Amino acid sequence: MKRHGILYCALALALHCVGAQAGTLDEVKARGKLNCGVTQGLAGFSSADASGNWAGLDVDFCRAVAAAIFDDASKVNFVPLSSKQRFTALQSGEIDVLSRVSTWTMQNDTALGITFIGVIYHDGQGLMVRKKLEVQSALELSGAEVCTNTGTTTELNIADFFRARSMPYKIVAFEKSDEALKAYEAERCDVYSTDASSLSAQRIKLAQPDDHVILPDLISKEPLAPAVRQNDPQWESLVRWTLFALIDAEELAVTKANADKLSRTDAAPGVRRLLGAESDYGRALGLDKDWALKAIRAVGNYGEIFDRNLGQQSPLKIERGLNKLWNNGGILFAPPVR
């Protein structure tokens, strides 16, 4: 009995110590800012202007998380990271959230000590070539030299595509996207390959964008998702449900402009739950009951964020495609707040 008592006390002490450790939310609140890992510059997703002002889909997502916590979307420190640096920065605690066009794969999800919280953009890997090559399909690229980023799934997808078709190829890899693009523009390779959405962003950086064409082929599926460290379930839920709230808001027609008004009126039950007017779903996240209202009021719903950064209100003019809501021809779907 004495031995069992000692073991019980040791277990109780261990549980007390674990419980006493500060979680990510406590650390973020104490710091007064969210540390968000983003790209080193990719139009539409995360890029900074000459004054250091960041914009993009991934940027706005981090602003939504900050708004849910602080009711202030400006309380974010954006940390630009290369593909090679991104996961290490998250593992080490340098950043709290990785919101950086990262593909949710089994390897990334199970071997790195991180958790992907939901798909923010359904993408696929594409290929860009110079028009003068008169290439119409990826099947015509046998023997091509392909510029891409090292430390990404793009290298692996290229290998799968070419080897499956017994087509010779050569990878010309760079750590930074802009380095790969410059090499392609200097004709050090025949093809530039990355996610199709990124190709649209990179193409407009070229001196003569109209001299280049993005082939219709998609050679992979790339579910792009924000990620957090494992073993902090409250933080994981907070970041995940912020994403879900932005998607649900679009489905429920809750916008940046009308969110405040709807939170005060006799809106539909689903809207009232989302905005905190009915029940307190924020408590489980360590937040106020109007956490989703704060996020939506700051950046808008998913559709607004997409249109502003990638869609028809942006220079990229990317079609929603698979990223339309599930009830509007796409596959974008979020569980309900209830």
Side-chain angles (χ1 to χ4, degrees):
M1 290 296 294
K2 183 178 180 181
R3 177 170 170 269
H4 290 166
I6 292 171
L7 288 175
Y8 174 81
C9 290
L11 177 59
L13 179 61
L15 289 174
H16 174 76
C17 291
V18 170
Q21 290 177 353
T24 306
L25 177 58
D26 292 333
E27 293 173 357
V28 170
K29 285 181 175 179
R31 188 191 308 130
K33 278 198 172 184
L34 174 75
N35 288 334
C36 175
V38 293
T39 70
Q40 293 164 314
L42 180 62
F45 288 92
S46 51
S47 59
D49 62 19
S51 300
N53 299 309
W54 286 87
L57 176 75
D58 291 335
V59 166
D60 278 346
F61 176 64
C62 281
R63 288 195 175 118
V65 175
I69 298 168
F70 298 109
D71 197 15
D72 187 344
S74 71
K75 291 192 174 183
V76 187
N77 175 40
F78 294 106
V79 182
L81 300 166
S82 69
S83 298
K84 187 176 181 180
Q85 297 168 328
R86 55 184 167 167
F87 296 131
T88 303
L90 182 59
Q91 293 161 341
S92 68
E94 180 183 353
I95 57 175
D96 308 304
V97 179
L98 179 66
S99 187
R100 188 205 175 282
V101 289
S102 298
T103 303
W104 187 350
T105 67
M106 184 175 181
Q107 173 74 11
N108 290 345
D109 195 41
T110 60
L112 301 179
I114 67 175
T115 297
F116 290 91
I117 57 91
V119 178
I120 195 169
Y121 188 92
H122 297 275
D123 210 346
Q125 187 169 329
L127 304 149
M128 181 165 64
V129 299
R130 287 175 284 279
K131 282 184 179 179
K132 66 182 182 182
L133 296 180
E134 298 183 347
V135 171
Q136 304 298 319
S137 166
L139 298 176
E140 301 172 38
L141 294 174
S142 182
E145 294 187 349
V146 184
C147 284
T148 192
N149 289 80
T150 189
T152 67
T153 56
T154 57
E155 288 182 278
L156 303 177
N157 293 333
I158 289 292
D160 286 350
F161 179 82
F162 281 84
R163 289 173 183 171
R165 293 158 180 80
S166 300
M167 294 164 53
Y169 72 102
K170 180 182 177 181
I171 287 284
V172 185
F174 300 86
E175 183 174 340
K176 298 180 179 179
S177 298
D178 283 348
E179 292 174 344
L181 184 68
K182 288 178 182 177
Y184 165 76
E185 189 168 28
E187 301 194 23
R188 292 176 56 189
C189 54
D190 308 300
V191 183
Y192 177 52
S193 184
T194 187
D195 297 340
S197 58
S198 299
L199 282 181
S200 297
Q202 294 291 72
R203 180 174 173 270
I204 63 176
K205 294 181 181 179
L206 297 170
Q208 300 293 333
D210 291 340
D211 290 347
H212 307 266
V213 60
I214 298 172
L215 298 178
D217 314 75
L218 290 179
I219 67 171
S220 73
K221 55 183 179 182
E222 303 293 323
L224 305 181
V228 296
R229 285 181 297 281
Q230 289 179 354
N231 302 321
D232 190 341
Q234 183 188 54
W235 183 248
E236 180 182 328
S237 293
L238 188 160
V239 178
R240 173 177 291 119
W241 279 96
T242 300
L243 174 60
F244 288 164
L246 299 177
I247 297 170
D248 282 330
E250 182 182 9
E251 183 177 340
L252 293 169
V254 179
T255 68
K256 182 176 182 178
N258 69 17
D260 267 320
K261 180 180 178 181
L262 289 175
S263 71
R264 298 190 300 267
T265 61
D266 189 19
V271 173
R272 292 179 60 78
R273 287 192 295 269
L274 175 68
L275 300 180
E278 184 174 302
S279 300
D280 185 356
Y281 292 97
R283 182 180 302 173
L285 306 178
L287 301 176
D288 296 333
K289 66 179 183 179
D290 59 349
W291 60 278
L293 169 62
K294 293 172 181 176
I296 299 159
R297 184 169 57 201
V299 299
N301 63 40
Y302 180 90
E304 292 177 285
I305 297 169
F306 186 102
D307 288 344
R308 179 168 65 243
N309 295 296
L310 297 167
Q312 299 309 305
Q313 296 177 20
S314 79
L316 300 179
K317 309 294 184 192
I318 295 175
E319 296 294 331
R320 283 282 294 263
L322 292 176
N323 295 290
K324 291 179 180 178
L325 292 175
W326 65 279
N327 57 3
N328 192 33
I331 62 174
L332 197 68
F333 184 97
V337 174
R338 70 171 309 142

